[in-house]
Amino acid sequence: MLSRDQIKTLYDHVGARQDRGARYEDPAVAQLIRHADFEHASAVFEFGCGTGRLAAALLGQHLPQYASYYGVDLSTTMVHLASAKIAPWCDRAVVSQTGGVLQLPARDGSIDRFVSAYVLDLLSTEDIEALLAETRRVLRPDGKLCLASLTYGQTLPTRLVSWGWSQIYACNPARLGGCRPIILRDFLHDGWVLQHAEVIAAVGMSSEVVVAVPRT
Ligand SMILES: C[S@@+](CC[C@H](N)C(=O)[O-])C[C@H]1O[C@@H](n2cnc3c(N)ncnc32)[C@H](O)[C@@H]1O
């Protein structure tokens, strides 16, 4: 597992090349968008916004014109890239850099979509649990948790890819962007009601997509 300092250094270096992962991320992110009802969102928070690709897609194609977007990232380079990408919507979209803390800069119950794509798979189990607890704090009761992450394959070829990935990760996590397969649903047994969950494979890589609402 990479430390926050190592993650920051890595993604400062990766920069725009992060979007090369689009080949395996896009089908899962498309499903996330399809099931998260962004058309009726008014306040979106993205954790680990990367280059701002998802932010630009949401602001340009899916969110209502009144909806606000707030993204955070640990990497200075990513925050610069994302800020440039969301500039056309600067009246309602902002990105800021954090030290990687899991306390979200948002008031209780002020968000109706919490989005994070390919970030929880970098975090420790404890950090994922702490982040989800924070997410419950900032989400409105009818808000949605919208996640995509690397996960384990479900067919023989994709299971082999996951196995190979886990082997490389064990020796050199930075080589794989610090990401390892996880099962998001395992973190959502308490306090959440699943609205949508699926595993999607693209280019041999498997991703889990989850949309959930807080259990009341
Ligand atoms: C694999 S990239 C994914 C970026 C983007 N979400 C995407 O789907 O293309 C992981 C991103 O999460 C950011 N990140 C990792 N840990 C973080 C933390 N604790 N707080 C904020 N951002 C974090 C990294 O800097 C990086 O930009």
Side-chain angles (χ1 to χ4, degrees), residues 125-153:
T125 299
E126 297 72 32
D127 279 359
I128 295 173
E129 282 166 356
L131 180 65
L132 290 174
E134 256 301 88
T135 303
R136 275 195 63 109
R137 179 186 70 75
V138 300
L139 266 183
R140 294 180 195 161
D142 61 346
K144 295 182 194 292
L145 169 73
C146 314
L147 303 175
S149 150
L150 201 63
T151 195
Y152 296 96

Short mmCIF file of all heavy atoms in Angstrom, two decimals, residues 125-153:
data_model
loop_
_atom_site.label_atom_id
_atom_site.label_comp_id
_atom_site.label_asym_id
_atom_site.label_seq_id
_atom_site.Cartn_x
_atom_site.Cartn_y
_atom_site.Cartn_z
N THR A 125 -8.13 -0.41 3.98
CA THR A 125 -9.47 -0.78 4.46
C THR A 125 -9.97 0.25 5.47
O THR A 125 -11.12 0.70 5.40
CB THR A 125 -9.40 -2.17 5.13
OG1 THR A 125 -8.96 -3.09 4.13
CG2 THR A 125 -10.73 -2.61 5.66
N GLU A 126 -9.10 0.66 6.40
CA GLU A 126 -9.51 1.62 7.45
C GLU A 126 -9.88 2.95 6.82
O GLU A 126 -10.86 3.59 7.20
CB GLU A 126 -8.37 1.85 8.46
CG GLU A 126 -7.96 0.62 9.26
CD GLU A 126 -7.20 -0.42 8.44
OE1 GLU A 126 -6.47 -0.03 7.51
OE2 GLU A 126 -7.34 -1.63 8.74
N ASP A 127 -9.10 3.37 5.82
CA ASP A 127 -9.39 4.66 5.17
C ASP A 127 -10.68 4.59 4.35
O ASP A 127 -11.44 5.56 4.30
CB ASP A 127 -8.21 5.09 4.28
CG ASP A 127 -7.09 5.73 5.09
OD1 ASP A 127 -7.24 5.84 6.33
OD2 ASP A 127 -6.07 6.12 4.49
N ILE A 128 -10.94 3.45 3.72
CA ILE A 128 -12.20 3.32 2.97
C ILE A 128 -13.37 3.44 3.95
O ILE A 128 -14.35 4.17 3.68
CB ILE A 128 -12.26 1.97 2.22
CG1 ILE A 128 -11.19 1.91 1.13
CG2 ILE A 128 -13.65 1.76 1.60
CD1 ILE A 128 -11.05 0.54 0.44
N GLU A 129 -13.26 2.78 5.09
CA GLU A 129 -14.36 2.83 6.06
C GLU A 129 -14.55 4.25 6.61
O GLU A 129 -15.67 4.72 6.74
CB GLU A 129 -14.10 1.83 7.20
CG GLU A 129 -14.45 0.43 6.74
CD GLU A 129 -13.92 -0.68 7.64
OE1 GLU A 129 -13.21 -0.37 8.61
OE2 GLU A 129 -14.22 -1.84 7.33
N ALA A 130 -13.41 4.93 6.87
CA ALA A 130 -13.50 6.31 7.38
C ALA A 130 -14.11 7.23 6.32
O ALA A 130 -14.93 8.11 6.62
CB ALA A 130 -12.12 6.80 7.78
N LEU A 131 -13.72 7.02 5.06
CA LEU A 131 -14.26 7.87 3.98
C LEU A 131 -15.76 7.65 3.81
O LEU A 131 -16.52 8.61 3.63
CB LEU A 131 -13.52 7.56 2.67
CG LEU A 131 -13.98 8.38 1.47
CD1 LEU A 131 -13.68 9.87 1.66
CD2 LEU A 131 -13.30 7.88 0.18
N LEU A 132 -16.18 6.39 3.91
CA LEU A 132 -17.62 6.11 3.75
C LEU A 132 -18.42 6.71 4.90
O LEU A 132 -19.55 7.18 4.71
CB LEU A 132 -17.85 4.61 3.62
CG LEU A 132 -17.33 4.01 2.30
CD1 LEU A 132 -17.47 2.50 2.29
CD2 LEU A 132 -18.06 4.61 1.10
N ALA A 133 -17.83 6.71 6.11
CA ALA A 133 -18.53 7.34 7.24
C ALA A 133 -18.67 8.84 7.00
O ALA A 133 -19.72 9.44 7.27
CB ALA A 133 -17.76 7.06 8.54
N GLU A 134 -17.61 9.46 6.46
CA GLU A 134 -17.66 10.89 6.13
C GLU A 134 -18.70 11.15 5.04
O GLU A 134 -19.42 12.15 5.07
CB GLU A 134 -16.28 11.33 5.60
CG GLU A 134 -15.42 12.12 6.52
CD GLU A 134 -16.04 13.41 7.00
OE1 GLU A 134 -16.75 13.38 8.02
OE2 GLU A 134 -15.82 14.46 6.38
N THR A 135 -18.74 10.23 4.09
CA THR A 135 -19.69 10.39 3.00
C THR A 135 -21.12 10.41 3.53
O THR A 135 -21.95 11.21 3.10
CB THR A 135 -19.50 9.24 1.98
OG1 THR A 135 -18.16 9.27 1.53
CG2 THR A 135 -20.43 9.38 0.81
N ARG A 136 -21.39 9.54 4.47
CA ARG A 136 -22.74 9.52 5.08
C ARG A 136 -23.04 10.86 5.74
O ARG A 136 -24.17 11.34 5.72
CB ARG A 136 -22.83 8.41 6.11
CG ARG A 136 -23.20 7.08 5.52
CD ARG A 136 -23.63 6.15 6.63
NE ARG A 136 -24.83 6.67 7.28
CZ ARG A 136 -26.03 6.13 7.16
NH1 ARG A 136 -26.19 5.06 6.45
NH2 ARG A 136 -27.06 6.65 7.78
N ARG A 137 -22.02 11.46 6.34
CA ARG A 137 -22.22 12.76 7.00
C ARG A 137 -22.60 13.85 6.00
O ARG A 137 -23.51 14.63 6.24
CB ARG A 137 -20.94 13.17 7.76
CG ARG A 137 -21.04 14.52 8.46
CD ARG A 137 -19.73 14.97 9.07
NE ARG A 137 -18.70 15.34 8.12
CZ ARG A 137 -18.67 16.46 7.41
NH1 ARG A 137 -19.62 17.36 7.55
NH2 ARG A 137 -17.67 16.71 6.56
N VAL A 138 -21.91 13.89 4.86
CA VAL A 138 -22.12 15.01 3.92
C VAL A 138 -23.29 14.77 2.97
O VAL A 138 -23.81 15.72 2.38
CB VAL A 138 -20.85 15.34 3.11
CG1 VAL A 138 -19.70 15.73 4.02
CG2 VAL A 138 -20.43 14.22 2.18
N LEU A 139 -23.71 13.50 2.82
CA LEU A 139 -24.81 13.22 1.88
C LEU A 139 -26.16 13.60 2.48
O LEU A 139 -26.41 13.38 3.67
CB LEU A 139 -24.85 11.74 1.54
CG LEU A 139 -24.10 11.26 0.29
CD1 LEU A 139 -24.35 9.75 0.12
CD2 LEU A 139 -24.51 12.00 -0.97
N ARG A 140 -27.03 14.10 1.63
CA ARG A 140 -28.43 14.28 2.04
C ARG A 140 -29.05 12.89 2.22
O ARG A 140 -28.57 11.92 1.62
CB ARG A 140 -29.20 15.03 0.95
CG ARG A 140 -28.72 16.44 0.80
CD ARG A 140 -29.50 17.15 -0.29
NE ARG A 140 -28.79 18.34 -0.66
CZ ARG A 140 -28.97 19.02 -1.79
NH1 ARG A 140 -29.85 18.61 -2.67
NH2 ARG A 140 -28.26 20.10 -2.04
N PRO A 141 -30.15 12.79 2.96
CA PRO A 141 -30.76 11.47 3.17
C PRO A 141 -31.13 10.79 1.85
O PRO A 141 -31.07 9.57 1.76
CB PRO A 141 -32.01 11.80 3.99
CG PRO A 141 -31.70 13.09 4.66
CD PRO A 141 -30.80 13.86 3.75
N ASP A 142 -31.46 11.56 0.83
CA ASP A 142 -31.80 10.96 -0.47
C ASP A 142 -30.63 11.04 -1.46
O ASP A 142 -30.80 10.79 -2.65
CB ASP A 142 -33.04 11.63 -1.07
CG ASP A 142 -32.79 13.12 -1.32
OD1 ASP A 142 -31.79 13.67 -0.79
OD2 ASP A 142 -33.58 13.75 -2.04
N GLY A 143 -29.45 11.40 -0.96
CA GLY A 143 -28.28 11.50 -1.84
C GLY A 143 -27.73 10.14 -2.22
O GLY A 143 -28.07 9.12 -1.59
N LYS A 144 -26.89 10.11 -3.24
CA LYS A 144 -26.37 8.84 -3.73
C LYS A 144 -24.85 8.78 -3.62
O LYS A 144 -24.16 9.75 -3.96
CB LYS A 144 -26.75 8.64 -5.20
CG LYS A 144 -28.25 8.51 -5.45
CD LYS A 144 -28.51 8.27 -6.93
CE LYS A 144 -29.97 8.47 -7.29
NZ LYS A 144 -30.87 7.46 -6.72
N LEU A 145 -24.39 7.61 -3.20
CA LEU A 145 -22.97 7.28 -3.20
C LEU A 145 -22.69 6.58 -4.54
O LEU A 145 -23.35 5.58 -4.86
CB LEU A 145 -22.70 6.32 -2.04
CG LEU A 145 -21.35 5.64 -1.98
CD1 LEU A 145 -20.27 6.64 -1.56
CD2 LEU A 145 -21.40 4.48 -0.97
N CYS A 146 -21.75 7.11 -5.32
CA CYS A 146 -21.54 6.60 -6.68
C CYS A 146 -20.06 6.25 -6.84
O CYS A 146 -19.21 7.14 -6.90
CB CYS A 146 -21.90 7.68 -7.71
SG CYS A 146 -23.46 8.53 -7.37
N LEU A 147 -19.77 4.95 -6.89
CA LEU A 147 -18.37 4.51 -6.87
C LEU A 147 -18.05 3.58 -8.03
O LEU A 147 -18.88 2.75 -8.42
CB LEU A 147 -18.09 3.75 -5.57
CG LEU A 147 -18.36 4.46 -4.24
CD1 LEU A 147 -18.14 3.49 -3.08
CD2 LEU A 147 -17.44 5.67 -4.09
N ALA A 148 -16.82 3.71 -8.52
CA ALA A 148 -16.28 2.71 -9.45
C ALA A 148 -14.88 2.38 -8.96
O ALA A 148 -14.16 3.26 -8.47
CB ALA A 148 -16.23 3.24 -10.87
N SER A 149 -14.51 1.14 -9.10
CA SER A 149 -13.21 0.72 -8.58
C SER A 149 -12.72 -0.52 -9.31
O SER A 149 -13.52 -1.27 -9.87
CB SER A 149 -13.38 0.44 -7.08
OG SER A 149 -12.50 -0.53 -6.67
N LEU A 150 -11.45 -0.71 -9.26
CA LEU A 150 -10.87 -1.96 -9.74
C LEU A 150 -11.38 -3.10 -8.86
O LEU A 150 -11.47 -2.94 -7.64
CB LEU A 150 -9.36 -1.84 -9.60
CG LEU A 150 -8.48 -2.75 -10.43
CD1 LEU A 150 -8.68 -2.46 -11.91
CD2 LEU A 150 -7.02 -2.53 -10.04
N THR A 151 -11.73 -4.24 -9.48
CA THR A 151 -12.18 -5.38 -8.68
C THR A 151 -11.66 -6.68 -9.27
O THR A 151 -10.86 -6.66 -10.22
CB THR A 151 -13.71 -5.39 -8.54
OG1 THR A 151 -14.06 -6.29 -7.47
CG2 THR A 151 -14.41 -5.82 -9.81
N TYR A 152 -12.12 -7.79 -8.71
CA TYR A 152 -11.66 -9.11 -9.16
C TYR A 152 -12.48 -9.58 -10.35
O TYR A 152 -13.69 -9.35 -10.42
CB TYR A 152 -11.81 -10.12 -8.02
CG TYR A 152 -10.93 -9.80 -6.84
CD1 TYR A 152 -11.44 -9.09 -5.76
CD2 TYR A 152 -9.59 -10.16 -6.83
CE1 TYR A 152 -10.63 -8.77 -4.68
CE2 TYR A 152 -8.77 -9.85 -5.76
CZ TYR A 152 -9.30 -9.15 -4.69
OH TYR A 152 -8.49 -8.83 -3.63
N GLY A 153 -11.80 -10.25 -11.28
CA GLY A 153 -12.49 -10.81 -12.44
C GLY A 153 -13.48 -11.88 -12.04
O GLY A 153 -13.35 -12.50 -10.98
#
